[in-house]
């Protein structure tokens, strides 16, 4: 039962990324691959953006994480709340990414105009 819940939570946590990858794949017509970052890049990122969040760990294991959050059958009563929190965080991140993409697009358009002038 615990493994089933862990798998379900892993699916919830990664659904958005999977949908975006599939959308990208269907738009590009090619395979979607996620490049692995080298040790030096990971170290530099950790220096610039330090984090204690286990979700940011390079060796993150979704099943292990969820099993630690929901170690007993009794703890599964908190599952709905956890799903709500994760869904809310995904929504916030989507909004943040959207704002950053729009800001970058506007900056690119301004730069193009400035170059043409």
């Amino acid at each position: 039962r615990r493994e089933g819940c862990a798998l379900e939570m892993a699916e919830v946590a990664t659904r958005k990324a999977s949908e975006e990858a599939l959308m990208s794949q269907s738009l590009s017509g090619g395979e979607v691959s996620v490049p692995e970052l080298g040790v030096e890049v990971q170290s530099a990122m950790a220096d610039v953006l330090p984090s204690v969040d286990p979700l940011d760990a390079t060796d993150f294991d979704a099943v292990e994480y969820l099993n630690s959050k929901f170690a007993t059958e009794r703890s599964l009563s908190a599952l709905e709340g956890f799903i709500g929190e994760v869904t809310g965080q995904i929504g916030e991140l989507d909004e943040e990414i959207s704002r950053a993409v729009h800001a970058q697009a506007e900056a690119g358009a301004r730069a193009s105009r400035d170059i043409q002038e």
Side-chain angles (χ1 to χ4, degrees), residues 5 11 20 44-45 48 52 56 62 69 71-72 77-78 84 88 108 111-112 117:
C5 290
E11 289 174 8
E20 289 173 0
M45 287 174 59
V48 174
V52 294
D56 292 333
K69 296 287 277 182
T72 66
S77 63
S112 293
E117 292 176 354

Side-chain angles (χ1 to χ4, degrees), residues 84-105:
E85 288 176 26
V86 170
T87 302
Q89 290 174 351
I90 290 170
E92 290 172 11
L93 289 171
D94 283 346
E95 286 296 319
E96 188 177 330
I97 290 168
S98 180
R99 284 191 302 271
V101 168
H102 283 98
Q104 183 62 37

Side-chain angles (χ1 to χ4, degrees), residues 3-55:
E3 282 185 13
C5 290
L7 290 174
E8 179 180 289
M9 287 303 301
E11 289 174 8
V12 168
T14 60
R15 184 180 301 140
K16 185 70 175 175
S18 297
E19 290 172 354
E20 289 173 0
L22 289 173
M23 176 70 77
S24 173
Q25 181 179 16
S26 66
L27 292 175
S28 68
E31 288 189 22
V32 174
S33 64
V34 178
E36 290 191 28
L37 302 175
V39 174
E40 293 173 358
V41 173
Q42 292 176 12
S43 176
M45 287 174 59
D47 290 344
V48 174
L49 302 167
S51 175
V52 294
D53 189 337
L55 299 176

Side-chain angles (χ1 to χ4, degrees), residues 43-91:
S43 176
M45 287 174 59
D47 290 344
V48 174
L49 302 167
S51 175
V52 294
D53 189 337
L55 299 176
D56 292 333
T58 57
D59 61 347
F60 176 73
D61 181 341
V63 173
E64 182 180 315
Y65 175 75
L66 293 171
N67 283 337
S68 72
K69 296 287 277 182
F70 304 101
T72 66
E73 192 168 331
R74 184 178 302 231
S75 65
L76 293 176
S77 63
L79 185 60
E80 290 297 321
F82 181 74
I83 290 172
E85 288 176 26
V86 170
T87 302
Q89 290 174 351
I90 290 170

